[in-house]
Amino acid sequence: MAEIGPAEAIFAAPAHPYTRALLSAIPEPDPVIARQASRIRLGGEPPSPLDPPPGCLFHTRCPKSDGTTCHTVPPHLTEKRPHQRAACHHPEPVPRNGERPGRPPRRFRPAGNPARTGSARRCRS
């Protein structure tokens, strides 16, 4: 597990570089915002699940990998921000004034939650 915490906090300011890369891949329906957004493209090879590398499992693709600690010491899930834990030796900096790193700020709406999204459809079986 790379990161854990309230969805709003993780979407607003991801602490783990992998979480940040995943969130940058979410399609933006507003074309104006989509043109301003920058997608993070990860280099390197994904680690083998049959023979995982020592240290951080993400170090083979991480832009912040330092070549020493990341390659030898597995990171522990520790609190990087209030109520937000990440397994990373080099977490993302805390954004200033509520800005969202790499993407313009937008309101988070969890899928499938009618109270938050405004949709109240019922499925019949």
Side-chain angles (χ1 to χ4, degrees):
M1 181 171 305
E3 187 165 356
I4 189 168
E8 291 86 355
I10 291 175
F11 271 71
H16 197 283
Y18 184 63
T19 307
R20 186 172 181 209
L22 287 175
L23 292 177
S24 79
I26 296 173
E28 176 59 58
D30 183 335
V32 174
I33 295 174
R35 281 191 288 276
Q36 297 169 358
S38 60
R39 177 152 183 228
I40 299 169
R41 300 195 186 277
L42 299 173
E45 291 293 319
S48 167
L50 300 175
D51 187 23
C56 177
L57 297 177
F58 184 58
H59 83 259
T60 59
R61 304 188 77 195
C62 184
K64 294 186 165 207
S65 178
D66 62 11
T68 55
T69 306
C70 299
H71 290 244
T72 57
V73 180
H76 297 286
L77 202 58
T78 56
E79 190 167 64
K80 305 297 181 185
R81 300 183 187 125
H83 310 291
Q84 193 171 350
R85 299 163 62 95
C88 184
H89 296 296
H90 309 288
E92 296 291 331
V94 176
R96 293 172 287 150
N97 300 328
E99 67 186 354
R100 187 171 174 197
R103 306 260 321 251
R106 71 173 183 197
R107 195 170 134 197
F108 168 70
R109 290 184 180 179
N113 185 341
R116 303 286 297 262
T117 62
S119 63
R121 268 201 246 167
R122 291 180 147 233
C123 295
R124 294 182 185 231
S125 39

